[in-house]
Amino acid sequence: MKKAVIVRDYTIPANDFTIAGEASSNVRKILTQLGVSPNVVKRASIAMYEAEINAVIHGKGGNAHVEIDENKIYIVISDEGPGIADLELAMQEGYSTAPDSIREMGFGAGMGLSNMKKHADILDIDTEVNRGTTVHITVYFNSDKKI
Amino acid sequence: MKISEIAQAINGEILTKNHDNELDIKSACSADLMSDVMAFSKENAMLLTGLINPQVVRTAEMMDMKVIVFVRGKKPTESMIELAEEKGIALIATEYPLFEASGRLYEKGIQGSGEN
Ligand SMILES: Nc1ncnc2c1ncn2[C@@H]1O[C@H](COP(=O)(O)OP(=O)(O)OP(=O)(O)O)[C@@H](O)[C@H]1O
Ligand SMILES: [Mg+2]
């Protein structure tokens, strides 16, 4: 029996702090309505929200593409921003290039990428300087990974 | 603690209409940096903060938090209140600074981390 696959696409506007998080919020709602376990909903939405906020504040905005099937949610957040020169460094907790204006908004502690890794079952990041960044997040519905 | 009891303990004003006063809030996290809330807060149902912007409500939503207390007399905007109501999150405003608001609630038994 083949279950329907839910596909959603969202635009993530640049530097718009009022709209940032809309896509993650919508996906969260879909997962909740599907009856996915609260732990999995929380992990998927936190990972996606971190990536969405990064696209807003670092990546000049971008797109979110989401696929949900009976086993998992697969999220792709892509932007055509400046890219990440040293991904290993950027993954370290506390490393951030966010300006003070972002910190005043409550972000820019350098925790986002490591937090994504913590919450996702699979995290893949493709990035190229001056080209942009694409973050792939997979969370399995039956995974018992705890936060 | 119930939402009404929380408000009372910090002389706070409940700004949202449709909160669930049967909810029993057991633990909280106090922070101005939403990055830290997302990285370090585990199962806390309440956030105390001095930060005002829509991402505070979003962060609480993603973290499954049910109550946000805005300290130091700061008031959320109308659109933040609407967003919170839509998500079933209660907003409370208090004149107390972050440390004192946190302390008053801790004294009443709210924990720093736990099972909601
Ligand atoms: N989409 C992106 N485009 C360009 N640079 C990025 C992108 N995402 C992350 N980075 C770079 O990696 C650094 C670390 O990202 P991370 O999400 O861990 O922290 P942050 O966004 O700075 O702060 P926080 O996530 O704690 O609010 C960023 O400061 C930025 O330099
Ligand atoms: Mg980030």
Side-chain angles (χ1 to χ4, degrees), chain B residues 57-87:
Chain B
V57 181
R58 285 281 181 226
T59 300
E61 179 195 359
M62 301 305 158
M63 298 296 295
D64 276 334
M65 291 169 145
K66 303 296 178 213
V67 184
I68 306 172
V69 176
F70 294 100
V71 300
R72 259 180 280 127
K74 296 191 177 179
K75 290 270 160 64
T77 60
E78 219 26 73
S79 65
M80 286 171 67
I81 295 175
E82 270 170 39
L83 182 63
E85 283 176 343
E86 192 187 310
K87 303 299 172 193

Side-chain angles (χ1 to χ4, degrees), chain B residues 8-35:
Chain B
Q8 203 177 12
I10 52 177
N11 292 334
E13 182 191 351
I14 301 173
L15 304 166
T16 38
K17 283 186 227 92
N18 56 349
H19 67 268
D20 175 5
N21 203 42
E22 289 310 305
L23 268 180
D24 185 16
I25 307 294
K26 296 198 176 87
S27 71
C29 153
S30 301
D32 284 350
L33 216 45
M34 295 305 109
S35 305

